[in-house]
Amino acid sequence: MSMHTFAGWTRAFEAEVGRRSARGEPDWAGGARLAGPLARSLQRFQVGEDGDGANLIRKADEAGDPEYAAAVRLFVAEEQNHARLLALLLGAGGMPTIAAHWSDSAFVRLRRLLGLRLELLVLMIAEVVALRYYRAVAEGTEDPLVSEVAARILADERRHVPFHCLRLREALGALPGALRVLVLAGWRLLLLGATAVVVWDHGPALRHLGVRRGRFTADVMRSSVDVVADILGTRSLQPSDVAPAVPRDRATVPPGRAA
Ligand SMILES: [Fe+2]
Ligand SMILES: [Fe+2]
């Protein structure tokens, strides 16, 4: 399956739909134990996953590449499935979803103002942060259902990053080289700012998961180097390169963390 064309991506997204239905649903009935800080954090990510797909689909349609527009629909469906999984996980833990959160409202408003190219760069910030976040949840929780749901979402997010990279490589390829480098340097600066907001807003959950804010930020910024290299075409990124799982190391979890 070629990931160098959007037709290839459409087939990859469709194959994933098949794998997902063959695998079935997580065992929701088993319930989940959700610590307070993690529940509040997951509620905010749930709102974010619900996102603004219609807006992205409209811009993709306007861009006039039917293969890309078809792949984007499947991408949006996958993000909506994340929102669904997180809503069911919260429910399994006896927690409601929330209707809105300021961080998501600001994000959606910003994205609406932008053209497809800039919207994808802003969306990519969310994807790169989400990679590190779901990895932290998958590896840091004691609860098997929480870990399974986070690992499922993480596997999808690892494909989303090279998917957006392909479009951005094409879309930014029209710019002069120096401007492209400048845009991507600006993108990394925005990513750093967004990560600072996330580690502040989700600080209690990250503490609970045993991930230091500095570690989280450093990992996000390191993975952004590969994203920039892929968009510039200097090195091509595979889903398997994105946020590789590290072995679970309980020794790094502070002993006094909240239950
Ligand atoms: Fe997602
Ligand atoms: Fe994603």
Side-chain angles (χ1 to χ4, degrees):
M1 207 154 351
S2 168
M3 305 305 234
H4 303 293
T5 67
F6 289 113
W9 274 103
T10 293
R11 285 192 294 278
F13 278 122
E14 280 166 350
E16 190 56 36
V17 172
R19 268 195 295 278
R20 195 153 55 227
S21 71
R23 185 178 185 190
E25 286 286 289
D27 176 23
W28 304 118
R33 286 164 52 104
L34 279 176
L38 182 58
R40 283 186 287 282
S41 169
L42 288 171
Q43 281 173 327
R44 290 167 202 177
F45 267 80
Q46 196 276 334
V47 172
E49 294 280 7
D50 227 354
D52 190 24
N55 183 53
L56 181 64
I57 287 171
R58 182 178 52 75
K59 286 180 193 166
D61 284 343
E62 286 167 4
D65 174 350
E67 289 194 347
Y68 178 62
V72 159
R73 282 175 167 75
L74 292 162
F75 158 75
V76 167
E78 213 161 81
E79 295 293 16
Q80 280 162 355
N81 187 51
H82 296 169
R84 187 189 69 87
L85 289 172
L86 289 178
L88 287 165
L89 177 62
L90 286 163
M95 294 293 293
T97 56
I98 55 176
H101 184 253
W102 62 265
S103 60
D104 183 60
S105 312
F107 190 67
V108 168
R109 241 192 317 270
L110 173 64
R111 282 176 47 193
R112 284 218 183 111
L113 292 173
L114 304 171
L116 179 61
R117 221 161 29 185
L118 286 176
E119 162 149 17
L120 284 181
L121 282 171
V122 173
L123 186 57
M124 186 77 103
I125 288 176
E127 299 279 24
V128 171
V129 171
L131 280 174
R132 188 62 189 89
Y133 176 77
Y134 289 116
R135 196 184 117 195
V137 177
E139 293 173 355
T141 180
E142 306 278 353
D143 186 275
L145 184 63
V146 174
S147 181
E148 183 189 339
V149 171
R152 284 186 188 213
I153 297 177
L154 176 61
D156 291 343
E157 306 296 10
R158 292 171 80 185
R159 286 179 297 104
H160 294 173
V161 169
F163 171 65
H164 299 314
C165 279
L166 177 61
R167 180 71 201 184
L168 283 167
R169 198 186 314 153
E170 291 180 7
L172 297 182
L175 301 177
L179 182 56
R180 206 158 53 205
V181 169
L182 203 67
V183 166
L184 290 170
W187 175 76
R188 291 194 75 218
L189 210 61
L190 280 177
L191 175 67
L192 182 62
T195 307
V197 173
V198 169
V199 297
W200 166 72
D201 189 29
H202 296 263
L206 293 178
R207 235 186 332 277
H208 169 75
L209 295 166
V211 179
R212 287 203 187 83
R213 294 172 189 209
R215 165 91 274 143
F216 188 99
T217 307
D219 288 347
V220 167
M221 294 316 290
R222 183 144 26 87
S223 66
S224 76
V225 174
D226 298 334
V227 169
V228 167
D230 187 283
I231 295 172
L232 290 175
T234 50
R235 196 173 76 78
S236 123
L237 191 65
Q238 303 299 317
S240 54
D241 300 334
V242 178
V246 292
R248 191 178 280 235
D249 182 4
R250 286 290 170 203
T252 62
V253 177
R257 68 180 208 174

